Amino acid sequence: MSESAIDNISAKLKLKFEDAPPFGGGSMPVEKEKTMVMLAHFFSWIVWLLMRKQSPAVDAHGKEATNFAITILIFYIPLGIVLGFLPGFLLTIVSLLLLVVWLGLLLLVIIAMIKAKEGKLMRYPINFRLIK
């Protein structure tokens, strides 16, 4: 995807971005830091827990992404339990709808990863910020 396509999608979804802590503010090299902020959105718990003390940027991105992962779990675990009691045809319909939702969540993570490398922190919509 081109940068303008990402910007167009972000504008249509009304996503909020803010400046993240600048790269180079911690003990890791800038290029590694850029990689880690991107990976923090995809492997949030692992990267944030291991690298948060080495970089303020990784810490900020990791917190936001970890909060998003926790928010998804808060919704998906009870939903998974309820789905276990649905009849087959209804389960199929709801599962297809959840697949569309999951693809939308994946799109949000990809946008956040791309913007993270540019030094922008995406504030995920519908995110319980439990870790401050």
Side-chain angles (χ1 to χ4, degrees):
M1 279 187 169
S2 69
E3 192 172 321
S4 62
I6 296 295
D7 290 337
N8 287 339
I9 293 169
S10 299
K12 287 180 182 177
L13 295 175
K14 297 180 181 172
L15 299 176
K16 295 178 184 172
F17 298 95
E18 55 187 54
D19 290 329
F23 294 122
S27 62
M28 77 174 59
V30 173
E31 283 306 311
K32 182 178 178 184
E33 194 172 18
K34 287 182 179 182
T35 302
M36 289 297 119
V37 296
M38 288 179 62
L39 290 175
H41 288 278
F42 202 70
F43 303 105
S44 60
W45 294 356
I46 297 168
V47 173
W48 180 64
L49 287 174
L50 295 176
M51 303 288 185
R52 65 183 175 191
K53 293 185 173 145
Q54 297 177 29
S55 164
V58 173
D59 185 42
H61 287 275
K63 281 180 191 174
E64 185 69 16
T66 300
N67 282 326
F68 188 58
I70 292 168
T71 302
I72 291 170
L73 282 176
I74 288 171
F75 285 111
Y76 266 85
I77 289 175
L79 190 57
I81 293 169
V82 170
L83 288 177
F85 295 105
L86 292 178
F89 73 95
L90 195 55
L91 177 63
T92 303
I93 293 169
V94 173
S95 294
L96 290 173
L97 290 172
L98 287 176
L99 176 64
V100 172
V101 170
W102 187 254
L103 290 173
L105 296 174
L106 181 61
L107 178 65
L108 288 176
V109 170
I110 291 169
I111 291 171
M113 289 174 68
I114 292 169
K115 289 298 192 175
K117 192 164 185 171
E118 298 172 6
K120 298 291 183 188
L121 175 63
M122 185 175 96
R123 293 295 183 178
Y124 287 97
I126 312 170
N127 198 5
F128 300 139
R129 291 183 176 80
L130 303 172
I131 301 171
K132 303 213 183 247

